Structure formats: structure tokens, C-alpha cells
Amino acid sequence: MTFSLMKALPGDPVYTMAGERADPETIEKIRKDIGGDKSVLAQYMGYVAMLAKGDLGRSYYTNRRVLDDILVKAPNTIRLASMAMLIALPCGVMLGLIMALSRKTRTDRILSAVSVFGLSIPVFWSGLVLMFVLSLKLKVLPPSGTGGLKYLVLPALTLALPAMASMSRITRVSVVEILDMPFIRTARAKGIAELRITTAHILRNALIPVVTVAGLDFGSYLSGAVLTETIFGWDGIGRFAMEGIVKRDYPVILGCILITTVSFIMMNFFVDLLYRHIDPRLRTGGNVD
Amino acid sequence: MIRPPAVLRFGLLLGFFFICLGCSTGSRQDGYLYYRLNADPSTLDPAYVVDVTGGSISAKLYNGLVKLDKRLNVVPDIAERWDRHDGGRILTFFLRKGVRFSNGREVTADDFRYSFKRILAAETRSPNTWVLDRILGAREFMKGEASDVAGIEVRDKYTLRITLTRSFGPFMNLLTMTAAYVIPKEEVDRYGKDFSVHPAGTGPFILNDWRHNTELLLRANDHYFADKAKVRGISYRIIPEDLTAVTEFELGNLDVLAIPVNEFSRFSKSGKWGPFISSARGLNTYYLGFNCSRAPFNNAELRRAVAQAIDIDKIMDTFYEKRGTIARGPVPELLRQWGPPAKSGYNPTASRQTTKGLGAGGKVINLYVNSDQEVLDLAEIIQSYLRASGLDVRIRQLEWSAYKAAINNGEADMFWLSWWADYPDPENFLFPLFHSSNHGPAGNRSRYTNKVVDALIEAGQNASTTEERNLNYMNAEKIITDEAPWVFFWHKTDYTVSSPRLKNYRIFPVYNIDKGTEVSF
């Protein structure tokens, strides 16, 4: 489906590959070279045959193997996504918990307003503001580049902000719901310490929807945070795919879609596994501890 | 306390592992120049380089027989001198001795023959065959009808003779281009298609490291045969976003910055950076092209009326912030060695009358533009001027690849485009753009056809003296400006700002002049 959609798009990679001064012979030569003279079906079959051999082809422009490039870029994207999640998840849950436990107070209202703001700001704006403050003014972090932890903080923070906001809201809602449940009263009556009630009883039960959202967010980061990666010059899958799309570099586009689909499915699988651990009711067979 | 489930612990561990993976410092290295690129170069193989970025880096890695100097003259490079026979049809190049590739082997005439044949060979599928296809026997070789190129002859180890099918004025200019650089056969054999990421040449710099989409690092070649680089190396940092690049520059992480459009007035008015701005009048022409092959713009009178309807001087002074010079014809002033064509001038009344007289009033006209915001703004300005002349312009904005296909196929009535010199010769602004053999992707996207212009351009190409050449080009340019297949807008000036620590930095009108050997700290 992606294959035929892509071919139906207007635009032709051959013209960009051929430069500004290409005679019709050169154009035909290049088109033939990339198989553009064959029917869409024949091109598709060719691609599938290549895939079966574990090859994703070579980029039309760089002539480099798409798989090699993906193997460089995918770990970068995973690092960025993981870092963003490591910031967003604990902070979001913590904020949500504070909001829920102090519901209907001024703290709750202020934090709610902040989280709505966090949800609504676009990443290109928050990214540039963070860069302005942390790089240009405070000079604590490099504004762009792909590398170690210091390069990772800015893009991860930018990516984490909206996720943090949405997680705090979801945590708040589900914690508030649980707070009124009979088993919490029971726990209090048993004389269990408040901290343990909050962590073991409330939080654990409130986590299911949070994990769902976190999983979805993580999956979407893996398929590429195009804007964030572009602003901070991060060499990830999103930027790679975007450049491929702009130049109609079909092997690159297909390779990226394939890899992100696989990672999305794997992420969902991982989230399903996590559900079973968080909520024993979801387990089939085995003991409930 | 809750014990995190095993699967979660595993996930966290994995995430942490990936975060710490690939840590590298990436901070400034002493003695290195830091430049910015907005995209990773596609290739550094001379056979496939078609863009300015790839060309300017290639200029630092490779050399050709000849090169351009600062005044745009063709001067010796690896060839220390050359002889011309038969009105420039036969050229004999005498190579310097002791020029070495980065792998240590000496360059001989055989290497040039190999490099040129590689460009022309059908299996290379190079888009740059046009640079060399005027050599005798090149076309036959390209088609596979001959096993060798008759016009490339190795006379001895250091002598190369090139014979053209007929004398061609700009040929020496073509030899300064990326496609005419010399490369070592053994390295191409070793890397095959991956030669593009393992380039080996004779240039003042050698590729040291290339982290795609992040940084391209060149180090100075200590064995370079001419003036060696005064810096230890050059780092090209790939930063797609303009504002990020500005931040990097202001923090001192970049030494040179091509000033982004939106930052132009801030930098030029800044007391801090003002003195460090350098500019070069570019060898380019920005134009509004007409599709001359069909109605309504197959009529020169209507094309002239459109030209009269737009106040280009005003757009230049306001919208474009005087970042260029007004174009009087297709040929940039730097290259025009004759008087400029007469100026048509802004005359909305005459324009309106002509449109009305031709019955074109109210006609819907498609103006195709790419997805650049500046271009879209300009298109709206043009639209409003033409509305005043009674033309109903509909703007069609397309993403670059689709845009290019559309104008190459002649779908647009009008389109906005620019042309940048491949080499500094007026011929480069006439033959590809207005000769009737180049309709469509070869350059003549306005599909302009005039047999007289064709003949004048050809006469200029084959002229044996500069005077004869100039006379032919002047006459061709006069007819072209009169028939107005384009509305000639401007020649854009390039502006860069450089770090105060930098010495001898300047920008050049052609991308491959700068070998990077003069600049120092």
C-alpha cells in the first residue's frame, strides 16, 4: 500500500538526481538504472525479492545501503526516545499524583494550568525557547549535534514536555478515581503506612492508562520526531525519512516505514507484557502474587 | 515498596544503555575551521556531484587539469601549461611531476584519461556527461559504439592531448568543473559504489571522518603539491535549521555562517557583526519564466506586458532588502563584457492597455512556485501586480520534487526559478537556457525557440576571438531580452558573517574557486 501510494505522488526523483542540465538520454539512463521504467507491480515484486534477501536497497542519491544508514540512525532515535521517556514518565506521574492528592486546592489548579500549557505548545517553539535559554544564554548545553548525554538533553526535554503534560493529566484522573474506591479505605483501616498506600495501592492501579499512553508516545518517537530531530540536528530516523520523502528517495522511505512499523509492533508487544505485570487480573494462568 | 517488574527493569536498563551509547565529545578541535552545511552532501564522487555543496567540498579534495582563480580566469592546476592548436580544437596539457593522490601514488596522464572515460562510460550513469561530451569520439563511446574515446590521447606519462569535435570556447571552463577532477582507478576499483564515501584525490584536504547528517571532517593534506592549507582541517557541521545554526555561530561553534534571510537585517545592522560580513555578487539570475510553447504566453507582446506590470526595483528595495542587483538580461554583470540590454521599466498603464488589447484580461494564469516561504511571499506580490494589469494569477505551490517535474514537463504558464553558474562564462547563461535543443530538464524550461538566437549562441561557442564571441552573445542577449521569455528579476548577492578570529576569509562567486588554503586563524 505504501509502495503504490508513494508511486502515485507527483514528483520524480530522476530530475533531482540528474541535476539542472540533463539531456533526455541521461534522464532515461538514470530512470532505467533505478528501475523507474518498469511497471509499479514489477517494481514492487523486485523490492519484495530484495527484502527476502535481507537487503533494503541503496539510496538513489547517496548510493549508500539503506540498511547501513538505518543501523546508524535507529540507535540514535531509540536513545532520544528513551531519554525523553525517562524524563516524561516519572515527572508526569509525579505531577499527576501531586495534582490528584491535592485536588481542588490551589496547587492542583496551578499544575493543571501548567499541564494544559505544556500540552498545547508546539515542539518547534518550545525547542527554540529551550535552546535560547539553555544554550545561548546559560551556555550549559550545546544547541545541536548528535553525540553523548549533553547533546541528548535538549531534544529529549523538548520531546518530553508534551508527553509529561499528558501523562500528568491521565495520572491525575485515574488516581482520583481510585482514591474513592473501597479497597483504599480498607487499606487505611488496616493501618498500612500512607506512603505504601500511595505507591503500592493507588499508583499501581492507576498505572494502566499511563502505560498505554507512554507506550503510544514512545512508539511515535521511534517512528521519528521529525521536528525535534531537525531543530537540534539529531541524526535520527525521523529526519532521515523526511529527507527521503522530500527527495522522493523511494528505497529510503520504504526502509524507514518498514523499520518504524516493526518497532511500533514491538513496542505494543512490550506494553502488553507490562500490563500483565502491573495488573495481575490480566494474567492468564499462573499465580497471582 | 513496589519491586519494578522484570520486564520494566529490563526496559529501563536497555534505555539507559542506549542513552550512554555512542557518547562522543564533539567539541571544537584546535586549528580546525568550522563551517555549516544545511544538508548532508549526497556524494563526494565527482561523477555524481550535481549540487553546490558537493562541488565546494570536492574542490578541497580533488584537482583538475585547470582551475579558476579569484578573477574567474582559467589558470594551471595539475597541468602546468597547455598548447592550443587548430583554433582551440586540439589542446595539449603538460602535467606537473610529483603530484600525488592521497594514497601516495603519482598522478599521470593515464589517470586523467581514466577519470574522463569513467564519466562518459554508459555503466557509470553519470549525470555529468555533458561536461565532457564535446571531446572527439565521446558520443560514440557513450553509446557503446566505440571502445575508446578517440579524442583523449596519452602522449607520454605527463602529456595529455584532448581533441574536440570542433572548437568550443567554454571548454577550458568546463575542465574546471567537479566532473573533470582526477581520481585514482585503484581506489574506485577497491570501493566500487562506495567510492562516494571514500573519496581519494590530490587536493589540499583529505576526508578524515564522515558522520552522515552530523559532521564531515577534512584534515589538511601535508603532501599537497601547491600552497598548503594554513589550518589543520575543516569541519562541516550539518545543521538543517537556520536558527540553530545562528545560535551555534553566536556561541562560537561555527566560524562562518551564510546569513539566513530572516536574520539578514539583524546581522547587517549589528555593530558587533557588521564589520565581519562579507559579500559576493553571485553568478546567478532569478527569473519569472513563461511557457513560450503554448497560449497565452506564446505571444511576446503579452510577455512584455507582464514584465512592465511588475515594479522590480521596488520589490528589490523593500521585500528583498537590496540583497542583490537588478538583472537587465539573463547574463550577470560579472560575466557581461558588453553593454547591457535596454531596460524595459515599470509601466502599469501600458501593460494594462496591452493586456486589454490582446483580450487577455481576466484570463486565468497558473503561476507555479516551490514550497519555500520567501518564494510564496514573492508570488503573492507578483500576483497583486498582475491583478492590476487585469491578469488573474492562480498560485500553485508544490513541494520541490513535484514542482521540478511539473515545470520540466511544461505544465506551468509561469514559474519562479533561478539559474546558478556551472562555470563563469556567458555561454552558461545562454545555451542551456535559451537554445531550442535544451527544452525542459536540460535548462530551457520556458521552451523558448528562436532559430536566430540558436545560431548566434552557436556562433559564440565556436568563435575564435573574444570580440567575435562577445558580439554574438550580445546580439543573442538583445533578442532574448526583447522577446522576454523571462521577466528578469535580479542577481542575488551572497552574504556570510565570519568569526573575528578568522583571517583572509572571503566568499567567491563560484563554488569551486575556494580551495580552503588561504584562510587561517
Side-chain angles (χ1 to χ4, degrees), chain B residues 381-407:
Chain B
I381 295 171
I382 294 171
Q383 185 183 38
S384 97
Y385 273 112
L386 295 189
R387 192 181 300 129
S389 276
L391 293 171
D392 183 6
V393 174
R394 303 276 164 88
I395 299 171
R396 286 211 59 189
Q397 193 185 22
L398 292 174
E399 166 281 318
W400 182 246
S401 176
Y403 170 72
K404 225 165 161 191
I407 57 171

Side-chain angles (χ1 to χ4, degrees), chain B residues 331-350:
Chain B
V331 181
E333 292 142 77
L334 270 178
L335 301 179
R336 190 191 284 125
Q337 295 163 18
W338 55 87
K343 202 176 171 185
S344 66
Y346 173 53
N347 191 343
T349 324

